[in-house]
């Protein structure tokens, strides 16, 4: 059988949930809502999935081994990374960083050198424990991340640290969205860049004290963060703390939207490029699906190519306006209130010229 190009099916990221377990219960994540917190995808099945992929698929950006789980809880994860390296498959290792206090984990990450993203996210001392579902002081958590930065500094590991931010800089726009019942982001993270950076400023010394002399001047730029962290450019650049360590502000939306939001009609198209494989084997067409309601099939029963071929009509409908969508997808593109869903439906009917106007940008995600 020929190798599978995921990009032929419109996907450029593959998220394989090797295990269903996580050591956090974040308020912005569907994990606490999941029934399945114990499944493990068989190692032979993971290898089989990796064997099916075309490593020369230039449309494939990376593979992760997380969806709503913590990969460092899986004692097989470094065997899996080794297998990916041998097959020349690109990996982004996404972790909450909690288990980076284990020397063995750090040593293995240094050995296999994947790209790494740490979801630091919530820097509010008052919200941290509730937001992350974690009985651990924020200082101790951050110090583990900083210690890991020191370990990987000036190595070949490309490390990104994500901080959550809602980018509600304009109070008028924010209040307008509230009136219309449209989402304004997740309440666990700050509303604005100001609030985010004020919280981060408490931890700057942690990073400053371990950086090279040449980079100490870099930290002065954080005083002008308004000129740097902007909604439209932070995704591409981030802020370099060291050559190989980047700080990024991540736009946050409510991660439980597919269960808690009010649905809209079929007049939308989903551009998701992420294919997820849950620990129970379910193949789902986005990064927000945590159960099998929109499963395209199960890898324990079929190979991935057959599942994607069988799901072509579902994917076409999902990616095409006014085609029949699943109720779960309608909720995902909906809003936290019924009035917000009505506003969203009306917005979707507008001509592109009006949608792109300055005023109407207030209603966009």
């Amino acid at each position: 059988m020929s190798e599978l190009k995921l990009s032929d099916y419109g996907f450029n990221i593959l998220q394989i949930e090797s295990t269903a377990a996580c050591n956090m219960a974040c308020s912005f994540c569907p994990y606490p809502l999941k029934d399945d917190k114990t499944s493990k995808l068989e190692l032979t099945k993971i290898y089989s999935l990796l064997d099916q992929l075309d490593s020369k698929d230039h449309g494939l950006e990376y593979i992760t081994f997380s969806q709503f789980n913590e990969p460092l809880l899986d004692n097989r994860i470094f065997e899996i990374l080794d297998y990916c390296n041998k097959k020349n498959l690109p990996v982004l290792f996404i972790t909450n960083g909690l288990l980076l206090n284990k020397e063995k984990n750090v040593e293995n990450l240094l050995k296999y050198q994947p790209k790494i993203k740490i979801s630091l996210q919530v820097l509010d001392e008052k919200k941290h424990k509730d937001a992350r579902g974690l009985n651990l002081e924020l200082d101790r958590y951050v110090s583990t991340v900083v210690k890991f930065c020191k370990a990987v500094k000036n190595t070949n590991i490309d490390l990104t640290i994500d901080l959550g931010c809602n980018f509600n800089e304009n109070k008028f726009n924010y209040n307008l969205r509230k009136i219309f019942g449209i989402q304004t982001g997740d309440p666990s993270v700050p509303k604005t860049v100001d609030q985010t950076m004020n919280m981060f400023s408490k931890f700057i010394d942690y990073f400053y004290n371990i950086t090279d002399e040449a980079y100490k001047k870099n930290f002065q730029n954080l005083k002008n963060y308004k000129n740097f962290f902007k909604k439209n450019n932070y995704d591409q650049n981030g802020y370099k703390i060291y050559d190989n360590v980047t700080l990024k502000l991540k736009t946050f939306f409510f991660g439980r939207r597919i269960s808690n939001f009010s649905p809209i009609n079929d007049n939308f198209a989903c551009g998701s490029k992420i294919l997820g494989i849950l620990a129970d084997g379910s193949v789902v067409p986005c990064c927000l699906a945590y159960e099998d309601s929109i499963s395209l099939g199960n890898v324990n029963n079929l190979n991935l190519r057959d599942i994607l071929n069988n799901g072509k009509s579902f994917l076409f409908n999902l990616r095409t306006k006014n085609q029949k969508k699943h109720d779960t997808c309608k909720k995902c593109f909906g809003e936290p209130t019924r009035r917000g869903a009505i506003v969203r439906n009306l917005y979707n009917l507008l001509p592109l010229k009006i949608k792109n106007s300055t005023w109407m940008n207030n209603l966009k995600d």
Side-chain angles (χ1 to χ4, degrees), residues 173-265:
N173 293 356
Y174 173 76
N175 290 325
L176 187 66
R177 294 171 73 90
K178 295 283 284 186
I179 291 170
F180 284 155
I182 295 175
Q183 62 173 312
T184 56
D186 188 273
S188 65
V189 298
K191 293 179 183 178
T192 66
V193 173
D194 269 353
Q195 291 174 0
T196 301
M197 294 310 296
N198 283 338
M199 291 174 186
F200 181 70
S201 66
K202 300 174 184 177
F203 302 98
I204 285 179
D205 283 347
Y206 284 105
F207 294 97
Y208 185 87
N209 291 337
I210 66 170
T211 192
D212 295 329
E213 192 64 34
Y215 277 93
K216 289 190 184 294
K217 293 180 181 178
N218 234 17
F219 283 82
Q220 300 302 314
N221 293 332
L222 284 176
K223 294 179 181 179
N224 300 313
Y225 57 80
K226 286 185 180 180
N227 296 327
F228 185 84
F229 288 119
K230 297 179 181 177
K231 188 172 184 179
N232 295 328
N233 74 1
Y234 79 101
D235 264 337
Q236 291 74 28
N237 302 315
Y239 178 85
K240 286 284 186 184
I241 295 176
Y242 319 118
D243 271 344
N244 62 321
V245 179
T246 305
L247 175 71
K248 287 190 177 182
L249 298 193
K250 181 180 180 181
T251 302
F252 243 61
F253 55 78
F254 189 48
R256 298 178 183 179
R257 59 200 291 177
I258 65 173
S259 56
N260 288 15
F261 275 19
S262 296
I264 60 172
N265 58 31

